[in-house]
Amino acid sequence: MGLLKNIPVFRLLLIAELALVLRDHYLFLTPPERKRLRQLVVRGPRMTADERAELRLLVAKLEPRLLAGAATEKLSPVPLPNLITKAKERKIASSRRQASVGASRSAGSLGASPEGR
C-alpha cells in the first residue's frame, strides 16, 4: 500500500478505468475459455503449435483492436473519432444481440414440436 500513496489520484483512476476495460474484454470469453487462456499463458514459450493456434483464437475473441481503441480512449486527453469509439459500442451490442438471439432460438426449439411450427 505504501507505493500507492505516492501515485497521484488521477493515475490511480486511470489504472482502475483501464482495468475495467480489460475486464469487459476478458468477459467476452466463456469461463472454460478463460481457464484455458490462463493455462496457455502459464505454459508460455513451451506451447505446442496447436496450443499457439488455440491461443491466437482465444486472443482474437478478446477483440484486441477494440480493446486498444477503448484503452486509447481512456488515455487520450482529446476526444477520439467515432470510428474507434462507436465501433466498440456497436461490436459489444452486436455480440450481445447474437447471444440473446441464439439463446432464444435454442430455448424455442427445445419444447416445440414440428407440428407446432
Side-chain angles (χ1 to χ4, degrees):
M1 185 68 180
L3 176 67
L4 293 179
K5 286 184 178 181
N6 296 329
I7 298 176
V9 172
F10 71 91
R11 286 191 182 167
L12 291 174
L13 289 172
L14 181 64
I15 291 168
E17 285 188 35
L18 289 175
L20 293 174
V21 168
L22 290 169
R23 179 184 176 275
D24 288 344
H25 284 262
Y26 186 62
L27 292 176
F28 285 169
L29 300 175
T30 64
E33 290 171 332
R34 288 186 288 237
K35 181 178 179 180
R36 184 61 179 151
L37 178 66
R38 285 189 298 273
Q39 291 170 343
L40 293 171
V41 169
V42 168
R43 284 192 51 79
R46 297 183 318 264
M47 284 185 282
T48 65
D50 287 342
E51 289 172 328
R52 283 192 297 274
E54 185 179 2
L55 178 65
R56 277 189 210 91
L57 290 174
L58 291 172
V59 169
K61 285 187 77 174
L62 293 173
E63 299 290 346
R65 182 173 180 217
L66 296 178
L67 174 60
T72 303
E73 181 182 13
K74 296 293 181 190
L75 295 170
S76 177
V78 296
L80 294 175
N82 285 343
L83 179 65
I84 295 172
T85 58
K86 299 299 180 195
K88 175 182 74 166
E89 294 169 9
R90 281 194 308 267
K91 179 64 178 178
I92 291 171
S94 172
S95 64
R96 287 184 182 151
R97 268 195 312 272
Q98 288 174 352
S100 67
V101 167
S104 65
R105 282 185 184 161
S106 63
S109 65
L110 289 177
S113 65
E115 297 85 31
R117 289 188 174 188

